Amino acid sequence: MKSDTKPDVCVVGLGYIGLPTAAVIARAGCKVLGLDVSQSVVDTINRGEIHIEEVDLDGLVHGVVSRGLLSASTEVAPADVFVIAVPTPFDKSHAPDVSYVLAAGKTIAPVLKQGDVVILESTSPVGTTEQLRDMIAGMRPDLKVPGLTGEIPDISIAYCPERVLPGRILEELTNNDRSIGGITPRCARKALAFYKRFVRGECVTTDARSAEMTKLVENAYRDVNIAFANELSIVSDKMGLDVWEVIRLANRHPRVNILSPGPGVGGHCIAVDPWFIVHGAPEETPLIRTARGVNDHKMHHVIAKAEALVEAHPGAKVACLGLAFKANIDDFRESPARFVASRLARKFGERIHIVEPYAAELPIEFTDTGATQIDIDDALETCEIMIVLVDHDVFKVVPLAERADKLVYDTRGIWPDQPRVVREEEARLKLVG
Ligand code: SAJ
């Protein structure tokens, strides 16, 4: 790849990270081929449409496809830079599964040529980039791969984790700093030259293993800190305290910044990535493992409390506000809110009403439960109990006058002025203490 010409780029995996990444690279003027195993994803993108929801992504993809800068295929083609953005799930024992990464390597290996740069962006356990390198070396003995001998390699291989927040992906893809870990310093420099084409944030180079660990550490850090907030909320319930008030006051200390409790930690990153560290060093990670347990337990605490509340008010109609895994997005995967609401729907049937402005219909597990989907206005008119599970803006702005007479269990602390909160009710029900 000559530094003065725009490289042709192949992005492997067109999901929540791969598609926005491919579109942003194409917007920078590179010709991008997006590779995906799903024919329907490929067809959708080639029509200039998208199969996932993300702010402003539809317009961007439509633009770069119609300008001929982005196309999709199930078949690999030669390129100068390969960016791998495929899932890395874990199995039942929390062991990371890097098979999609290795499958991506297997796909691109036959078309690699001298000068190419291969970059792994998928969240990966430490050592995965080297594993990818070894696999490519095995398939292409004609190519000199980096880090195995002192010779100048034919190709460069690096790890550069994505760090974007769903709902802000396009903005963060451009503006966030990036850690670029090369198998060798030369690999890092080659990858750096590529990212500089479309990243405005600072790009910092390191080695591949440090970059892999950095990504896991970022999400484990957030998980541990959310666990602290969730534990405080359970302690506060027990002591009859308002956790939101306690956190608000504590955060006035110049060096304290406690995160927000919620109904548990959802999504596909923060609840998953810490396990990659635990799996790599089980004896050395009691804190990270415990934090995972605390956050998982919080969901069951919320279910028990919500069930007790609904049982204590026979006949009262109940609104569950939100199903998404966090505020203002339409992503319902691995969502504690969805799990809590579906448990209540199964137990209490038609008494349960779901309010989720981001869902066209209720997910499959609500079928035959008797629960129905209503909008926020109907919920305010007809439901006596409100269980706040997601802090969508549309819920936050409901004025006190419209909800003053409701009995509210607010797992997100969106209505600090609510007069009848579950804490008081609990004392009466003897749920705590
Ligand atoms: N949550 C709380 N309390 C909080 C913050 C979050 O309960 O104070 C919950 C959310 O409601 C949600 C879950 O945690 O259920 C995760 O939400 P999030 O906004 O913390 O993170 P994600 O999963 O949307 O994105 C994270 C981000 N990582 C960090 O902030 C360290 C993002 O930058 C990563 O790119 C992304 O994971 C990823 O792909 O790894």
Side-chain angles (χ1 to χ4, degrees), residues 17 123 161-167 172 176 215 217-223 225-227 229-230 258-271 273 295 324-327 329 334-337 389-391 411-412:
I17 301 302
T123 303
E162 60 81 14
R163 316 171 126 151
V164 291
L165 201 69
E172 293 207 357
N176 286 4
K215 167 69 192 186
V217 164
E218 289 165 3
N219 281 352
Y221 168 86
R222 197 153 167 86
D223 198 42
N225 281 278
I226 297 170
N230 277 334
I258 303 170
L259 294 180
S260 303
V265 169
H268 358 278
C269 309
I270 300 222
D273 302 354
N295 285 332
F325 90 82
K326 63 180 196 174
I329 60 169
E334 311 299 329
S335 167
L389 297 171
V390 185
D391 43 345
T411 72
R412 296 280 187 174

Coordinates of all heavy atoms in Angstrom, one line a residue, residues 17 123 161-167 172 176 215 217-223 225-227 229-230 258-271 273 295 324-327 329 334-337 389-391 411-412, ligand 1:
I17 N -20.6 -3.1 14.7 CA -19.3 -2.3 14.6 C -18.9 -2.3 13.2 O -18.5 -1.3 12.6 CB -18.3 -3.0 15.5 CG1 -18.7 -3.0 17.0 CG2 -16.9 -2.3 15.3 CD1 -19.0 -1.6 17.6
T123 N -13.4 -7.6 20.1 CA -13.0 -7.8 21.5 C -12.4 -9.2 21.6 O -13.1 -10.1 21.3 CB -14.1 -7.6 22.5 OG1 -14.7 -6.3 22.2 CG2 -13.7 -7.7 23.9
P161 N -8.8 -2.2 19.1 CA -10.2 -2.5 19.6 C -11.2 -1.3 19.3 O -10.7 -0.2 19.3 CB -10.1 -2.6 21.1 CG -8.9 -1.8 21.4 CD -7.9 -1.9 20.3
E162 N -12.4 -1.7 18.9 CA -13.4 -0.6 18.9 C -13.8 -0.2 20.3 O -13.7 -1.0 21.2 CB -14.6 -1.1 18.0 CG -15.3 -2.4 18.6 CD -16.3 -2.0 19.7 OE1 -16.6 -0.8 19.9 OE2 -16.7 -3.0 20.5
R163 N -14.2 1.0 20.5 CA -14.6 1.5 21.8 C -15.9 2.3 21.7 O -16.1 3.2 22.6 CB -13.6 2.4 22.4 CG -12.2 2.1 22.3 CD -11.4 3.2 22.7 NE -10.5 2.8 23.8 CZ -9.3 3.4 24.0 NH1 -9.0 4.5 23.3 NH2 -8.5 3.0 25.0
V164 N -16.7 2.1 20.7 CA -17.8 3.0 20.5 C -19.0 2.7 21.3 O -19.3 1.5 21.6 CB -18.2 3.1 19.0 CG1 -17.1 3.8 18.3 CG2 -18.4 1.7 18.5
L165 N -19.8 3.7 21.7 CA -21.0 3.5 22.5 C -22.2 3.4 21.6 O -22.5 4.3 20.8 CB -21.1 4.7 23.4 CG -22.0 4.4 24.7 CD1 -21.3 3.5 25.6 CD2 -22.2 5.8 25.4
P166 N -23.0 2.3 21.7 CA -24.2 2.2 20.8 C -25.0 3.5 21.1 O -25.2 3.9 22.2 CB -24.9 1.0 21.4 CG -23.8 0.1 21.9 CD -22.8 1.1 22.4
G167 N -25.5 4.0 20.0 CA -26.3 5.3 20.0 C -25.4 6.5 19.7 O -25.9 7.5 19.3
E172 N -18.4 8.6 17.9 CA -17.3 8.0 18.6 C -16.3 7.3 17.7 O -15.1 7.3 18.0 CB -17.8 7.1 19.7 CG -18.6 7.8 20.8 CD -18.5 7.2 22.2 OE1 -18.0 6.1 22.3 OE2 -19.1 7.8 23.1
N176 N -13.2 9.3 19.1 CA -12.5 8.6 20.3 C -11.0 8.4 19.9 O -10.6 8.2 18.8 CB -13.1 7.2 20.5 CG -14.5 7.3 21.2 OD1 -15.0 8.4 21.4 ND2 -15.0 6.2 21.5
K215 N -8.7 -3.2 26.0 CA -10.1 -3.3 25.7 C -10.9 -4.0 26.8 O -12.0 -3.5 27.2 CB -10.3 -4.0 24.3 CG -11.7 -4.4 24.0 CD -12.6 -3.1 23.8 CE -14.0 -3.5 23.7 NZ -14.9 -2.4 23.3
V217 N -10.0 -4.4 29.9 CA -9.9 -3.7 31.1 C -10.9 -2.5 31.1 O -11.6 -2.2 32.1 CB -8.5 -3.2 31.3 CG1 -8.4 -2.1 32.3 CG2 -7.6 -4.3 31.6
E218 N -11.1 -1.9 30.0 CA -12.1 -0.7 29.9 C -13.5 -1.2 30.3 O -14.1 -0.6 31.1 CB -12.1 -0.2 28.5 CG -10.8 0.6 28.1 CD -10.7 0.9 26.7 OE1 -11.6 0.5 25.9 OE2 -9.6 1.4 26.3
N219 N -13.9 -2.3 29.8 CA -15.3 -2.8 30.1 C -15.4 -3.4 31.5 O -16.4 -3.3 32.1 CB -15.7 -3.7 29.0 CG -16.2 -3.0 27.7 OD1 -16.3 -1.7 27.8 ND2 -16.5 -3.7 26.7
A220 N -14.3 -4.0 31.9 CA -14.3 -4.6 33.3 C -14.3 -3.5 34.3 O -15.0 -3.5 35.3 CB -13.1 -5.5 33.5
Y221 N -13.6 -2.4 34.0 CA -13.6 -1.2 34.9 C -15.0 -0.7 35.1 O -15.5 -0.4 36.2 CB -12.7 -0.1 34.3 CG -12.9 1.2 34.9 CD1 -12.1 1.6 36.0 CD2 -13.7 2.2 34.4 CE1 -12.2 2.8 36.6 CE2 -13.9 3.4 35.0 CZ -13.1 3.7 36.1 OH -13.2 5.0 36.7
R222 N -15.8 -0.6 34.0 CA -17.1 -0.1 34.0 C -18.0 -1.1 34.8 O -18.9 -0.7 35.6 CB -17.7 0.2 32.6 CG -18.9 1.1 32.6 CD -19.0 1.8 31.3 NE -20.3 2.4 31.1 CZ -20.6 3.7 31.5 NH1 -19.7 4.4 32.2 NH2 -21.8 4.2 31.3
D223 N -17.8 -2.4 34.5 CA -18.7 -3.4 35.2 C -18.5 -3.3 36.7 O -19.4 -3.4 37.5 CB -18.3 -4.8 34.6 CG -19.3 -5.8 34.9 OD1 -20.5 -5.5 34.8 OD2 -19.0 -6.9 35.3
N225 N -17.5 -0.8 38.5 CA -18.0 0.4 39.0 C -19.6 0.4 39.0 O -20.2 0.9 40.0 CB -17.5 1.6 38.3 CG -16.1 1.9 38.7 OD1 -15.9 2.6 39.8 ND2 -15.1 1.4 38.0
I226 N -20.2 -0.2 38.1 CA -21.6 -0.4 38.1 C -22.0 -1.3 39.2 O -23.0 -1.1 39.9 CB -22.2 -0.8 36.7 CG1 -21.9 0.2 35.6 CG2 -23.7 -1.1 36.8 CD1 -22.2 -0.3 34.2
A227 N -21.2 -2.4 39.4 CA -21.5 -3.3 40.5 C -21.5 -2.6 41.9 O -22.3 -2.9 42.7 CB -20.5 -4.4 40.5
A229 N -22.3 0.5 42.4 CA -23.6 1.3 42.5 C -24.7 0.3 42.7 O -25.6 0.6 43.6 CB -23.8 2.0 41.2
N230 N -24.8 -0.9 42.1 CA -25.9 -1.8 42.3 C -25.8 -2.4 43.7 O -26.9 -2.5 44.3 CB -25.8 -2.9 41.3 CG -26.4 -2.5 39.9 OD1 -27.3 -1.7 39.9 ND2 -26.0 -3.1 38.8
I258 N -19.6 8.0 41.6 CA -20.3 6.7 41.6 C -21.2 6.6 40.4 O -21.9 7.6 40.1 CB -21.1 6.5 42.9 CG1 -20.1 6.6 44.1 CG2 -21.8 5.1 42.9 CD1 -20.8 6.7 45.5
L259 N -21.3 5.5 39.7 CA -22.2 5.4 38.5 C -23.6 5.1 39.0 O -23.9 5.2 40.2 CB -21.7 4.2 37.7 CG -20.3 4.5 37.0 CD1 -19.9 3.3 36.1 CD2 -20.4 5.7 36.1
S260 N -24.5 4.8 38.1 CA -25.9 4.7 38.4 C -26.3 3.2 38.6 O -26.1 2.4 37.7 CB -26.7 5.3 37.3 OG -26.4 6.6 37.1
P261 N -27.1 2.9 39.7 CA -27.6 1.6 39.8 C -28.7 1.4 38.7 O -29.2 2.4 38.1 CB -28.3 1.6 41.1 CG -27.9 2.8 41.8 CD -27.4 3.8 40.8
G262 N -29.0 0.2 38.4 CA -30.1 -0.1 37.4 C -30.6 -1.5 37.7 O -30.3 -2.1 38.7
P263 N -31.4 -2.0 36.7 CA -31.9 -3.4 36.9 C -30.9 -4.5 36.6 O -31.3 -5.7 36.5 CB -33.1 -3.4 36.0 CG -32.7 -2.5 34.9 CD -31.8 -1.4 35.5
G264 N -29.6 -4.2 36.4 CA -28.6 -5.1 36.0 C -27.8 -4.6 34.8 O -28.2 -3.5 34.3
V265 N -26.8 -5.3 34.4 CA -26.0 -4.8 33.2 C -26.3 -5.6 32.0 O -26.3 -6.8 32.0 CB -24.5 -4.9 33.6 CG1 -23.6 -4.7 32.4 CG2 -24.1 -3.9 34.7
G266 N -26.7 -4.9 30.9 CA -27.1 -5.6 29.7 C -26.1 -5.3 28.6 O -25.0 -4.7 28.8
G267 N -26.5 -5.6 27.4 CA -25.7 -5.4 26.2 C -24.7 -6.6 26.0 O -24.8 -7.6 26.8
H268 N -23.9 -6.5 25.0 CA -23.0 -7.7 24.7 C -21.6 -7.4 25.0 O -20.7 -8.2 24.5 CB -23.2 -7.9 23.2 CG -24.2 -7.0 22.6 ND1 -25.6 -7.2 22.7 CD2 -24.0 -5.7 22.1 CE1 -26.2 -6.1 22.3 NE2 -25.3 -5.2 21.9
C269 N -21.3 -6.4 25.7 CA -19.9 -6.1 26.0 C -19.5 -6.1 27.4 O -18.7 -6.9 27.9 CB -19.6 -4.7 25.4 SG -20.2 -4.5 23.7
I270 N -20.2 -5.2 28.2 CA -19.8 -5.1 29.6 C -20.1 -6.3 30.4 O -19.3 -6.7 31.3 CB -20.5 -3.8 30.2 CG1 -20.1 -2.6 29.3 CG2 -20.2 -3.7 31.7 CD1 -19.8 -1.4 30.0
A271 N -21.1 -7.0 30.1 CA -21.5 -8.3 30.8 C -20.7 -9.5 30.3 O -20.7 -10.6 30.9 CB -23.0 -8.5 30.7
D273 N -17.2 -9.1 28.5 CA -15.7 -9.0 28.4 C -15.0 -9.2 29.7 O -13.9 -9.8 29.6 CB -15.4 -7.6 27.9 CG -16.0 -7.3 26.5 OD1 -16.6 -8.2 25.9 OD2 -15.9 -6.1 26.0
N295 N -23.7 -7.8 39.6 CA -24.6 -7.2 38.6 C -25.6 -8.2 38.1 O -26.8 -7.8 37.8 CB -23.7 -6.7 37.4 CG -23.0 -5.4 37.8 OD1 -23.6 -4.6 38.6 ND2 -21.9 -5.1 37.2
A324 N -35.4 -2.0 26.5 CA -34.1 -1.9 25.9 C -33.0 -2.1 26.9 O -33.2 -2.0 28.1 CB -33.9 -0.5 25.2
F325 N -31.8 -2.4 26.5 CA -30.7 -2.7 27.5 C -30.2 -1.4 28.1 O -29.5 -1.4 29.1 CB -29.6 -3.6 26.9 CG -28.4 -3.0 26.3 CD1 -27.4 -2.5 27.0 CD2 -28.4 -3.0 24.9 CE1 -26.3 -1.9 26.3 CE2 -27.3 -2.4 24.2 CZ -26.2 -1.9 25.0
K326 N -30.5 -0.3 27.4 CA -30.2 1.0 28.0 C -31.0 2.1 27.4 O -31.7 1.8 26.4 CB -28.7 1.3 28.0 CG -28.1 1.5 26.7 CD -26.6 1.8 26.8 CE -26.0 2.3 25.6 NZ -24.7 2.8 25.7
A327 N -30.8 3.3 27.8 CA -31.7 4.4 27.4 C -31.5 4.8 25.9 O -30.4 4.8 25.3 CB -31.3 5.7 28.2
I329 N -32.2 3.6 23.0 CA -31.7 2.8 21.8 C -32.8 1.7 21.6 O -33.6 1.4 22.5 CB -30.3 2.2 22.0 CG1 -30.3 1.3 23.3 CG2 -29.3 3.2 22.1 CD1 -29.0 0.5 23.3
E334 N -29.8 -9.1 25.3 CA -29.1 -9.2 26.7 C -29.6 -8.1 27.6 O -28.8 -7.4 28.2 CB -27.6 -9.2 26.6 CG -27.0 -10.1 25.6 CD -27.3 -11.6 25.9 OE1 -27.5 -11.9 27.1 OE2 -27.4 -12.3 24.9
S335 N -30.9 -7.8 27.5 CA -31.4 -6.7 28.3 C -32.1 -7.1 29.6 O -33.0 -7.9 29.6 CB -32.5 -5.9 27.5 OG -33.2 -5.0 28.3
P336 N -31.5 -6.6 30.8 CA -32.2 -7.0 32.0 C -33.6 -6.5 32.1 O -34.5 -7.2 32.7 CB -31.3 -6.3 33.1 CG -30.3 -5.4 32.4 CD -30.4 -5.8 30.9
A337 N -33.9 -5.3 31.5 CA -35.3 -4.8 31.5 C -36.2 -5.8 30.9 O -37.3 -6.1 31.4 CB -35.3 -3.4 30.8
L389 N -37.9 0.6 34.2 CA -36.7 -0.3 33.9 C -35.7 0.3 33.0 O -34.5 -0.2 33.0 CB -37.3 -1.6 33.3 CG -38.2 -2.4 34.2 CD1 -38.9 -3.6 33.4 CD2 -37.5 -3.0 35.4
V390 N -36.1 1.3 32.2 CA -35.1 1.9 31.3 C -35.3 3.4 31.4 O -36.5 3.9 31.5 CB -35.3 1.5 29.8 CG1 -34.3 2.1 28.9 CG2 -35.3 0.0 29.7
D391 N -34.2 4.2 31.4 CA -34.3 5.6 31.5 C -34.4 6.4 30.2 O -33.6 7.3 29.9 CB -33.1 6.1 32.3 CG -31.7 5.5 31.9 OD1 -31.8 4.4 31.2 OD2 -30.7 6.0 32.3
T411 N -36.2 1.7 39.1 CA -34.9 1.1 39.2 C -33.8 2.0 38.6 O -32.6 1.6 38.7 CB -34.9 -0.3 38.5 OG1 -34.9 -0.1 37.0 CG2 -36.0 -1.2 38.9
R412 N -34.2 3.1 37.9 CA -33.2 3.9 37.3 C -33.0 5.3 37.9 O -32.2 6.1 37.5 CB -33.5 4.1 35.8 CG -33.5 2.8 35.0 CD -32.1 2.4 34.6 NE -32.0 1.3 33.7 CZ -31.0 0.9 33.1 NH1 -29.8 1.4 33.3 NH2 -31.0 -0.2 32.3
Ligands
SAJ1 N1 -25.4 0.8 33.2 C1 -25.8 1.0 34.5 N2 -25.3 2.0 35.2 C2 -24.5 3.0 34.6 C3 -24.0 2.8 33.3 C4 -24.5 1.7 32.6 O1 -26.6 0.2 35.0 O2 -24.1 3.9 35.4 C5 -25.8 -0.3 32.4 C6 -26.6 0.1 31.1 O3 -28.0 0.4 31.4 C7 -26.5 -1.1 30.3 C8 -25.1 -1.6 30.6 O4 -24.7 -1.0 31.8 O5 -27.4 -2.1 30.6 C9 -24.0 -1.3 29.6 O6 -24.2 0.1 29.1 P1 -23.0 1.1 28.8 O7 -23.6 2.3 28.3 O8 -22.2 1.2 30.0 O9 -22.1 0.4 27.8 P2 -22.3 -0.4 26.3 O10 -22.4 -1.8 26.5 O11 -23.4 0.3 25.5 O12 -20.9 0.0 25.6 C10 -19.7 -0.3 26.3 C11 -18.8 0.9 26.3 N3 -17.7 0.7 27.2 C12 -17.3 1.6 28.1 O13 -18.0 2.6 28.4 C13 -16.1 1.2 28.9 C14 -18.3 1.2 24.9 O14 -17.4 2.3 24.9 C15 -17.7 0.0 24.3 O15 -17.3 0.2 22.9 C16 -18.7 -1.1 24.2 O16 -19.1 -1.4 25.6 C17 -18.1 -2.3 23.5 O17 -18.5 -2.6 22.4 O18 -17.3 -3.0 24.1

